[in-house]
Amino acid sequence: MTIIASELNENNFLPFVKSGTVLVDFWAAWCVPCQKMTPILLACEQALPQLSVGRLNVDDYPQLTKKLQVQGLPTLLLFQNGEPVARVSGFQPKDRLLGYLQHRLGREQHA
């Protein structure tokens, strides 16, 4: 079964980030590194069952993007119960991102 990241908008963004441990991908259709991140994010979501991944198109929701101070693409924000707890900017190879998320999620569980 393929898990597909949730497409986020101004209406479902807050409920999504308050739903637990989530990773939000801020992306744009014209951003080549963003396109290359998509299969990596899906692989991370499959490897980490406690993590949900959502995607927000920055061109469609510039106010939300500005509010969260997203400046470069792609930007990934990790949320715990509605609060941003980590930020990663730029293209991330799968092994690096997966290791980083495993470390962050492991630390959160033991805190």
Side-chain angles (χ1 to χ4, degrees):
M1 177 178 89
T2 301
I3 299 171
I4 298 175
S6 301
E7 291 296 331
L8 302 177
N9 57 49
E10 289 174 334
N11 296 323
N12 68 3
F13 184 82
L14 276 178
F16 182 79
V17 299
K18 290 182 176 181
S19 67
T21 302
V22 301
L23 185 68
V24 178
D25 173 28
F26 292 84
W27 69 283
W30 48 264
C31 170
V32 174
C34 297
Q35 294 169 12
K36 291 180 179 179
M37 284 298 301
T38 300
I40 293 169
L41 292 169
L42 295 177
C44 289
E45 188 174 36
Q46 288 178 328
L48 301 166
Q50 71 273 41
L51 181 71
S52 296
V53 176
R55 302 180 75 219
L56 185 87
N57 186 324
V58 298
D59 290 333
D60 293 342
Y61 304 102
Q63 301 87 354
L64 198 49
T65 302
K66 184 177 180 182
K67 179 181 176 185
L68 291 165
Q69 301 175 341
V70 173
Q71 297 175 346
L73 296 180
T75 292
L76 306 174
L77 286 179
L78 183 65
F79 288 82
Q80 285 280 160
N81 301 313
E83 295 297 323
V85 295
R87 175 184 302 252
V88 177
S89 296
F91 176 80
Q92 302 296 314
K94 178 183 167 189
D95 292 343
R96 182 187 306 160
L97 182 60
L98 188 56
Y100 175 77
L101 290 171
Q102 288 170 329
H103 174 74
R104 287 293 310 204
L105 296 175
R107 190 168 68 202
E108 308 273 329
Q109 290 173 349
H110 300 299

